[in-house]
Amino acid sequence: PLQDFCVADNSSHVFVNGFVCKDPKEVTAEDFFLAAKLDMPRDTKMSKVGSIVTLLNVMRIPGLNTLGISLARIDYAPLGENPPHTHPRASEILTVLEGTLYVGFVTSNPDNKLFWKVLNKGDVFVFPQGLIHFQFNPNPYKPAVAIAGLSSQNPGAITIANAVFGSKPPISDDVLAKAFQVEKKTVDWLQAQFWAR
Amino acid sequence: PLQDFCVADNSSHVFVNGFVCKDPKEVTAEDFFLAAKLDMPRDTKMSKVGSIVTLLNVMRIPGLNTLGISLARIDYAPLGENPPHTHPRASEILTVLEGTLYVGFVTSNPDNKLFWKVLNKGDVFVFPQGLIHFQFNPNPYKPAVAIAGLSSQNPGAITIANAVFGSKPPISDDVLAKAFQVEKKTVDWLQAQFWAR
Amino acid sequence: PLQDFCVADNSSHVFVNGFVCKDPKEVTAEDFFLAAKLDMPRDTKMSKVGSIVTLLNVMRIPGLNTLGISLARIDYAPLGENPPHTHPRASEILTVLEGTLYVGFVTSNPDNKLFWKVLNKGDVFVFPQGLIHFQFNPNPYKPAVAIAGLSSQNPGAITIANAVFGSKPPISDDVLAKAFQVEKKTVDWLQAQFWAR
Amino acid sequence: PLQDFCVADNSSHVFVNGFVCKDPKEVTAEDFFLAAKLDMPRDTKMSKVGSIVTLLNVMRIPGLNTLGISLARIDYAPLGENPPHTHPRASEILTVLEGTLYVGFVTSNPDNKLFWKVLNKGDVFVFPQGLIHFQFNPNPYKPAVAIAGLSSQNPGAITIANAVFGSKPPISDDVLAKAFQVEKKTVDWLQAQFWAR
Amino acid sequence: PLQDFCVADNSSHVFVNGFVCKDPKEVTAEDFFLAAKLDMPRDTKMSKVGSIVTLLNVMRIPGLNTLGISLARIDYAPLGENPPHTHPRASEILTVLEGTLYVGFVTSNPDNKLFWKVLNKGDVFVFPQGLIHFQFNPNPYKPAVAIAGLSSQNPGAITIANAVFGSKPPISDDVLAKAFQVEKKTVDWLQAQFWAR
Amino acid sequence: PLQDFCVADNSSHVFVNGFVCKDPKEVTAEDFFLAAKLDMPRDTKMSKVGSIVTLLNVMRIPGLNTLGISLARIDYAPLGENPPHTHPRASEILTVLEGTLYVGFVTSNPDNKLFWKVLNKGDVFVFPQGLIHFQFNPNPYKPAVAIAGLSSQNPGAITIANAVFGSKPPISDDVLAKAFQVEKKTVDWLQAQFWAR
């Protein structure tokens, strides 16, 4: 930040790294506020992977612009998961509000070491910036809930399966077949799954 | 970060900006984990201002080193408050888990404008880096609870009243009497309150 | 900086983190210059605390935009002071041109340790970013003068007493009474002092 | 950088963010040099995906420490590829020295848009930081060669297939089956492929 | 970067630190691409110093905006050189594609130590940010070629002789005569050489 | 900064980017203080160019470590100058305490535009990071004095003439003759001047 605040002006037609700001004279407390209902469970039924991420980033709360922080609530169905993904612009610290989570992250080449843990209510875990990580609710009967802080107002998220097999247009199946050491028809089948999403 | 992670080695006798790291070969998932019991209410009775901050920073979770993020739970007694303070190295995003909070921050000179809001359960508010801010539970009967993300692994906190009137050694009462436009005996009385802390 | 310079265009209606720049083709040496009369004593009589800060930041010298530096002259009346304040976005290095100054800064919680020193003409002292600090002229007969460099083109300044007791609108006296461990009528009296400013 | 250079001392037992430096008095031109033979083709036969990356980062050239830059040569067999991967700490700019490359990157959620291009000798393409990207040599007869600059002395690389299916220990197949919408036995088969690596 | 990409909009009349971005919806793969012909020798005959730098920075490839990287090809005539210069905003890593180069950089005051090396084809050398450096082709018969990565999308280049003796308007010859310990007429002669350029 | 302060431990044998810190428990106000006598004229007679720079950086005041600021006093003899130089790691803001100064900076290639101004007592001028700049006292009878803030605790300074003609070992006269478009014997003569320094 180069001033007290720079509230994002989502109506502007000028695009910059981050967002241009509203005229500071027109900024109000509402710009730093959201009635986000973060206390309310969200319905995970529509999710193929059994989870819903409610991310409060600068697109949701314009006052976050330039401040380097965002907050998320994640609801997990029984056996639901937040599948392997990366945040290209943020580290994450997560605490479990309800239920149990099997969580982990994988380091970069060449080790690709998995650091994992089973978290219970009240436990906390950290996911370093840019590394592939996931959370999975191993309980077949009970949902789980977590709250996470992220070190960017716009962390971004790249869900690995969707980005690799569901990109628009699709990545050539020659590339993916060789990358995953599978046949092209397997790739084509996977792409069909994720393209539908 | 200049590598996947740099877990703080709290036993080292070498001090740097941040912390030196453990040998990466000895890092385990425990370094990124804390059984923090963030789901458990904490007793606010011992606090003169009626609040307890449980801050999970790099001193508590060594894996946070270099990652630019931390997480806090704040418990508020009925009529309790997290008194006016600044974080010299972080912005903050807070959500109310239980109860009601009157919150606000004040901009820098010359305007010293107060942005304030009453938050209910599930609401979210943002406090920009370095600005004086507070949270107060206006309910005389019920406690409140909040969770906050902060944009540093070591945000620091400067509680204004304590830093100004309770520093060790005390700031000269000449300085404080003129600054607060009060008599020196008032300053002396205030310093006695906070020195005892 | 991402180019040789980005001179602030104070006439622009586009707000960004920092300032948008003038067309580089229209930039002249005047944009990097100010006939600031930093050699001239300023009258401290109008100041309740007996000091005047002449801060040359990006609002005064547009060429400072993106350059991370500013300069200030501070004039102190006999027994005058630059009262406890923070710079949310800068560290400071100060040298005494005339007179004597009792200076100090206070570290963050939980220690709130005061580092202080009496400076004479030609001495230098450093105030780390975001920490509460002050300068006081203990001499009842002679003024003092200092020059300071600050590590931002827009350091910001939060004068503690003004921000806490003089915000617009005022912070609830419930909050301040509990924070400073005083009665609400004391807070109300203090707020009346600073509101008048 | 906070000094002219800070040459990595790879023999040190002190770990920091980045690397500790050699005593500047013992630094020589050799610390900034490598007889890297970047002009020489490398044998891609041992690579399952038909490519070899020769990355000159701070582990190879200690003088790169703190300088925010590295350089890579990539050799591609006919039909070889540098499979989908991310650099958690760098953007990349690549030029083709020999042959033809089909290249692309995928944006983050929710769009997962593929930006792709076929590059010929002398062409240049850019891969933004943290995004999944790849290069593939579509020519069944001729090898290809590229040179790339990366915006970090230690960019890191996460090869998606290896990190997801070849982590040590493996990620639970429950997690991966749901993430990729495939049966667990398919996951188990994939993990067997990459575990063998 | 605060989003996946921020492609420079070179047609905008709004100037910022870096460049404003194109509407992300209008970005295409072409924005990250250049048919730069980096494989083609360039004619060095028009250069007084016998070298041509082909720098692919954000002005040439708009997709480089905010990404912190650029790439250059340098062609050297026999006995040609890239004369002493600095990059105010980048470090550089260079590899020799053809020929031989005598290269070096000089540290800051007070040591002004020269680190130098003769590079052959395939060798790599590093030039730290902001330091004066050069490359010279000592071979009187053969040209040389190098490729370099630079740690900024807009590194800038200050060719020492041109900036000092060829500035527009010229620096006073009083200043330069004293700086270089030569007579004013020598300065005037030098300025005439570089002014003509 | 990642903590309130990180006072440089100049006695340490561990070298890092910047400096390792003293044990915070042993830090005192003396670490932030220097009896620098910045009010005292310094003798410029020993200087060939007629100026003395008294730079208070982290090597002089250990408390400046990580704080991004330093302060300098410059004394100029009549007709003395601070010759063309760059700060690879800082911008500068300068005010004239006594006398008159002709000052300027030159932009990077290809324009090499000189921005210049004659400053009188109390005037202020800004020099952007990394650009070549100078100050010259045009008065043949009176000395001049300036104070400057710099945006780094270790700005570095590269005096152009010394770095180019006085490096140790010297840069090949082939390189310099071609760079400055002069004969090799002129270069040799210049090198002899600066080597003696």
Side-chain angles (χ1 to χ4, degrees):
Chain A
L2 300 173
Q3 56 278 310
D4 285 0
F5 50 69
C6 163
V7 172
D9 177 0
N10 292 315
S11 72
S12 173
H13 294 294
V14 179
F15 299 91
V16 296
N17 192 23
F19 288 90
V20 300
C21 332
K22 288 177 64 168
D23 184 337
K25 287 189 295 292
E26 295 178 11
V27 169
T28 72
E30 302 302 314
D31 291 313
F32 300 92
F33 170 77
L34 192 68
K37 300 192 182 172
L38 276 202
D39 58 320
M40 303 288 283
R42 290 188 60 191
D43 186 353
T44 54
K45 276 189 204 119
M46 299 296 291
S47 163
K48 282 191 174 180
V49 291
S51 78
I52 296 283
V53 177
T54 307
L55 174 60
L56 305 181
N57 61 13
V58 63
M59 278 77 99
R60 299 289 307 280
I61 307 182
L64 284 172
N65 197 30
T66 77
L67 297 186
I69 189 80
S70 53
L71 195 72
R73 174 194 167 107
I74 309 134
D75 287 273
Y76 308 84
L79 299 180
E81 75 182 38
N82 188 3
H85 63 286
T86 72
H87 301 295
R89 295 179 293 277
S91 297
E92 179 175 349
I93 181 168
L94 173 146
T95 188
V96 179
L97 293 188
E98 293 292 339
T100 300
L101 289 175
Y102 159 67
V103 306
F105 66 82
V106 180
T107 64
S108 63
N109 304 345
D111 290 344
N112 297 139
K113 197 168 166 183
L114 173 70
F115 290 81
W116 66 275
K117 194 80 190 167
V118 174
L119 306 182
N120 293 307
K121 205 174 161 179
D123 289 352
V124 173
F125 201 78
V126 173
F127 305 100
Q129 180 165 347
L131 301 190
I132 295 177
H133 61 289
F134 62 86
Q135 303 105 33
F136 173 74
N137 175 8
N139 190 307
Y141 308 111
K142 289 189 185 167
V145 181
I147 292 265
L150 296 110
S151 64
S152 168
Q153 66 267 19
N154 184 13
I158 300 171
T159 301
I160 298 300
N162 300 17
V164 171
F165 293 107
S167 74
K168 291 160 199 74
I171 298 173
S172 154
D173 53 8
D174 285 314
V175 169
L176 296 180
K178 183 160 282 187
F180 288 87
Q181 309 279 321
V182 294
E183 292 180 49
K184 281 167 72 167
K185 65 180 181 187
T186 307
V187 168
D188 297 345
W189 184 85
L190 280 162
Q191 288 183 323
Q193 305 304 305
F194 285 96
W195 182 263
R197 267 176 57 103
Chain B
L2 301 172
Q3 56 280 310
D4 285 359
F5 49 68
C6 163
V7 172
D9 177 1
N10 292 314
S11 72
S12 172
H13 295 294
V14 179
F15 299 91
V16 296
N17 191 24
F19 289 89
V20 300
C21 332
K22 289 177 63 167
D23 184 338
K25 287 189 294 292
E26 296 178 11
V27 169
T28 72
E30 301 302 314
D31 291 312
F32 300 92
F33 170 77
L34 192 67
K37 301 192 181 171
L38 276 203
D39 59 320
M40 303 288 284
R42 290 189 60 191
D43 186 354
T44 54
K45 276 190 204 120
M46 298 296 291
S47 162
K48 280 191 175 181
V49 292
S51 77
I52 295 285
V53 177
T54 306
L55 174 60
L56 305 181
N57 60 13
V58 63
M59 279 77 101
R60 300 288 306 280
I61 306 183
L64 284 172
N65 197 30
T66 77
L67 297 187
I69 189 79
S70 54
L71 195 72
R73 175 193 167 109
I74 309 133
D75 287 272
Y76 308 85
L79 299 181
E81 75 181 39
N82 188 3
H85 63 286
T86 72
H87 301 296
R89 294 178 294 278
S91 297
E92 179 176 347
I93 181 168
L94 174 146
T95 189
V96 179
L97 293 188
E98 293 292 337
T100 300
L101 288 176
Y102 159 66
V103 306
F105 66 82
V106 181
T107 64
S108 64
N109 303 346
D111 290 343
N112 298 139
K113 197 167 166 182
L114 173 69
F115 289 81
W116 66 275
K117 195 80 191 168
V118 175
L119 306 181
N120 294 307
K121 204 174 161 177
D123 289 352
V124 172
F125 202 77
V126 173
F127 305 101
Q129 180 164 348
L131 301 190
I132 295 176
H133 61 288
F134 61 87
Q135 303 104 33
F136 173 74
N137 175 7
N139 189 308
Y141 308 110
K142 290 189 183 168
V145 181
I147 292 264
L150 295 110
S151 63
S152 167
Q153 67 266 20
N154 183 13
I158 301 172
T159 302
I160 299 300
N162 299 15
V164 170
F165 293 107
S167 74
K168 292 160 198 71
I171 297 173
S172 154
D173 54 8
D174 285 313
V175 169
L176 295 180
K178 183 159 284 186
F180 287 87
Q181 307 280 321
V182 294
E183 292 181 48
K184 282 166 72 167
K185 66 180 180 187
T186 308
V187 168
D188 297 345
W189 184 83
L190 281 162
Q191 289 184 323
Q193 305 304 305
F194 285 96
W195 181 262
R197 206 171 45 99
Chain C
L2 301 172
Q3 55 279 310
D4 284 0
F5 49 69
C6 164
V7 172
D9 177 0
N10 291 316
S11 72
S12 173
H13 295 292
V14 179
F15 298 91
V16 296
N17 191 25
F19 288 89
V20 300
C21 332
K22 288 177 65 167
D23 184 337
K25 287 188 294 291
E26 296 177 11
V27 169
T28 72
E30 301 302 314
D31 292 311
F32 300 93
F33 169 76
L34 192 67
K37 300 191 182 172
L38 276 203
D39 59 319
M40 303 287 283
R42 289 188 60 190
D43 186 354
T44 54
K45 276 189 204 121
M46 297 297 290
S47 163
K48 281 191 173 180
V49 292
S51 78
I52 296 284
V53 177
T54 306
L55 174 59
L56 305 181
N57 60 13
V58 63
M59 277 77 99
R60 300 290 306 279
I61 306 183
L64 284 172
N65 197 30
T66 77
L67 297 187
I69 189 79
S70 54
L71 195 72
R73 173 193 168 109
I74 309 134
D75 288 271
Y76 308 85
L79 299 181
E81 75 182 38
N82 189 3
H85 64 286
T86 71
H87 301 296
R89 294 178 294 277
S91 298
E92 179 175 347
I93 181 168
L94 174 146
T95 188
V96 179
L97 293 188
E98 293 293 338
T100 300
L101 289 175
Y102 159 66
V103 306
F105 66 82
V106 180
T107 64
S108 64
N109 303 345
D111 290 344
N112 297 138
K113 197 167 167 183
L114 173 69
F115 289 81
W116 66 275
K117 195 79 191 169
V118 175
L119 306 182
N120 293 307
K121 204 175 161 176
D123 289 353
V124 172
F125 202 77
V126 173
F127 305 100
Q129 180 164 349
L131 301 189
I132 295 176
H133 61 289
F134 61 87
Q135 303 105 33
F136 173 73
N137 174 8
N139 189 309
Y141 308 110
K142 289 189 184 168
V145 181
I147 292 264
L150 295 110
S151 64
S152 167
Q153 66 265 20
N154 183 12
I158 301 172
T159 301
I160 299 299
N162 299 17
V164 170
F165 294 107
S167 73
K168 292 161 198 71
I171 297 173
S172 153
D173 54 7
D174 284 314
V175 169
L176 296 180
K178 183 161 282 186
F180 287 87
Q181 307 279 319
V182 294
E183 292 180 47
K184 282 166 73 167
K185 66 179 181 187
T186 307
V187 168
D188 297 345
W189 184 84
L190 280 161
Q191 289 184 322
Q193 304 304 305
F194 284 96
W195 181 262
R197 267 174 56 103
Chain D
L2 300 172
Q3 57 279 308
D4 284 0
F5 50 68
C6 163
V7 172
D9 178 359
N10 291 315
S11 71
S12 172
H13 295 293
V14 179
F15 299 91
V16 296
N17 192 24
F19 289 90
V20 300
C21 333
K22 289 178 62 168
D23 184 338
K25 287 189 294 293
E26 296 178 11
V27 169
T28 71
E30 302 302 314
D31 291 312
F32 300 92
F33 169 77
L34 192 68
K37 301 191 183 171
L38 276 202
D39 59 320
M40 303 288 284
R42 290 189 60 191
D43 186 353
T44 54
K45 278 192 203 117
M46 298 296 290
S47 163
K48 281 191 174 181
V49 291
S51 76
I52 295 284
V53 178
T54 307
L55 174 60
L56 305 181
N57 60 12
V58 63
M59 277 78 98
R60 299 288 307 280
I61 307 183
L64 285 172
N65 198 28
T66 78
L67 297 187
I69 189 80
S70 53
L71 195 72
R73 173 192 167 109
I74 309 134
D75 287 272
Y76 309 85
L79 299 180
E81 75 183 38
N82 188 3
H85 63 287
T86 72
H87 301 295
R89 295 178 292 279
S91 298
E92 180 175 347
I93 181 168
L94 174 145
T95 189
V96 179
L97 293 188
E98 293 292 338
T100 300
L101 289 175
Y102 159 67
V103 306
F105 66 83
V106 180
T107 64
S108 64
N109 303 346
D111 290 344
N112 297 139
K113 197 167 166 183
L114 173 69
F115 288 81
W116 66 275
K117 195 79 190 167
V118 174
L119 306 182
N120 294 306
K121 203 174 162 178
D123 289 351
V124 173
F125 202 77
V126 173
F127 305 100
Q129 180 164 349
L131 301 190
I132 295 177
H133 60 289
F134 61 87
Q135 302 105 32
F136 173 74
N137 175 7
N139 190 308
Y141 308 110
K142 289 189 184 167
V145 180
I147 292 263
L150 296 110
S151 64
S152 168
Q153 66 266 20
N154 184 13
I158 300 172
T159 301
I160 298 300
N162 299 15
V164 170
F165 294 106
S167 74
K168 294 162 197 70
I171 297 173
S172 154
D173 54 8
D174 285 313
V175 169
L176 296 180
K178 183 160 283 187
F180 288 87
Q181 309 280 323
V182 294
E183 292 180 49
K184 283 166 72 167
K185 65 181 182 188
T186 307
V187 167
D188 297 345
W189 184 84
L190 280 162
Q191 290 184 322
Q193 305 304 305
F194 285 97
W195 181 263
R197 204 171 46 98
Chain E
L2 300 172
Q3 56 279 310
D4 285 0
F5 50 68
C6 163
V7 172
D9 177 1
N10 291 316
S11 71
S12 172
H13 295 293
V14 179
F15 299 91
V16 296
N17 192 24
F19 289 89
V20 301
C21 333
K22 288 178 62 167
D23 184 338
K25 287 189 294 292
E26 296 178 11
V27 169
T28 71
E30 302 302 313
D31 291 312
F32 301 92
F33 169 77
L34 192 68
K37 301 191 182 173
L38 277 202
D39 58 320
M40 303 288 283
R42 289 188 61 190
D43 185 354
T44 54
K45 276 188 203 119
M46 298 296 291
S47 163
K48 281 191 173 179
V49 292
S51 76
I52 296 284
V53 178
T54 307
L55 174 60
L56 305 181
N57 61 13
V58 64
M59 278 77 99
R60 299 290 305 280
I61 306 183
L64 284 172
N65 197 29
T66 78
L67 297 187
I69 189 80
S70 53
L71 195 72
R73 173 192 168 110
I74 308 134
D75 288 272
Y76 308 85
L79 299 179
E81 74 183 39
N82 188 2
H85 64 286
T86 72
H87 301 296
R89 296 178 293 278
S91 297
E92 179 175 347
I93 181 168
L94 174 145
T95 189
V96 179
L97 293 189
E98 293 292 339
T100 300
L101 290 175
Y102 158 67
V103 306
F105 66 84
V106 180
T107 64
S108 65
N109 305 345
D111 290 344
N112 297 138
K113 197 167 165 182
L114 173 69
F115 289 82
W116 66 276
K117 195 79 189 168
V118 174
L119 306 182
N120 294 307
K121 204 174 161 177
D123 288 352
V124 173
F125 201 77
V126 173
F127 306 100
Q129 180 164 349
L131 301 189
I132 295 176
H133 61 289
F134 61 87
Q135 303 105 33
F136 173 74
N137 175 8
N139 190 308
Y141 308 111
K142 290 189 184 169
V145 181
I147 292 265
L150 295 111
S151 63
S152 167
Q153 68 265 20
N154 184 12
I158 300 172
T159 301
I160 298 301
N162 299 17
V164 170
F165 294 107
S167 74
K168 293 161 198 71
I171 298 173
S172 154
D173 54 7
D174 284 313
V175 169
L176 296 180
K178 184 160 282 186
F180 287 87
Q181 307 280 322
V182 295
E183 291 180 50
K184 283 167 72 166
K185 66 180 181 187
T186 307
V187 168
D188 297 344
W189 184 84
L190 280 162
Q191 289 184 322
Q193 304 304 306
F194 285 95
W195 182 262
R197 267 174 60 102
Chain F
L2 300 172
Q3 55 278 310
D4 285 0
F5 50 68
C6 163
V7 172
D9 177 0
N10 292 315
S11 71
S12 173
H13 294 293
V14 180
F15 298 91
V16 296
N17 192 24
F19 288 90
V20 300
C21 332
K22 288 177 63 168
D23 184 339
K25 288 189 293 291
E26 295 178 12
V27 169
T28 71
E30 302 302 314
D31 291 312
F32 300 92
F33 169 77
L34 192 69
K37 300 191 183 172
L38 276 202
D39 59 320
M40 303 289 283
R42 291 188 60 190
D43 186 353
T44 54
K45 277 192 202 116
M46 298 296 290
S47 163
K48 281 190 173 181
V49 291
S51 78
I52 296 283
V53 178
T54 308
L55 174 59
L56 305 181
N57 60 12
V58 63
M59 278 77 101
R60 299 289 306 280
I61 306 183
L64 284 172
N65 197 30
T66 78
L67 297 187
I69 189 80
S70 54
L71 195 72
R73 174 192 167 110
I74 309 134
D75 287 272
Y76 308 84
L79 298 180
E81 74 183 38
N82 189 4
H85 63 286
T86 72
H87 301 296
R89 295 178 293 278
S91 298
E92 179 175 348
I93 181 168
L94 174 146
T95 188
V96 179
L97 293 188
E98 293 292 337
T100 300
L101 289 176
Y102 159 67
V103 306
F105 66 82
V106 180
T107 64
S108 63
N109 304 346
D111 290 344
N112 297 140
K113 196 167 166 183
L114 173 69
F115 289 80
W116 66 275
K117 195 79 190 168
V118 174
L119 307 182
N120 294 307
K121 204 174 162 178
D123 289 352
V124 173
F125 201 77
V126 173
F127 305 100
Q129 180 165 346
L131 301 190
I132 295 177
H133 61 288
F134 62 86
Q135 303 104 32
F136 173 74
N137 175 8
N139 190 308
Y141 308 109
K142 290 189 183 168
V145 181
I147 292 264
L150 296 109
S151 63
S152 167
Q153 66 266 18
N154 184 14
I158 300 172
T159 301
I160 298 301
N162 300 15
V164 170
F165 294 106
S167 74
K168 292 160 198 72
I171 297 173
S172 154
D173 54 8
D174 285 313
V175 169
L176 295 180
K178 183 160 284 187
F180 288 87
Q181 308 279 321
V182 294
E183 293 180 47
K184 281 167 72 166
K185 66 180 181 187
T186 307
V187 168
D188 296 345
W189 184 84
L190 280 162
Q191 289 184 323
Q193 305 304 305
F194 285 96
W195 182 262
R197 263 175 51 103

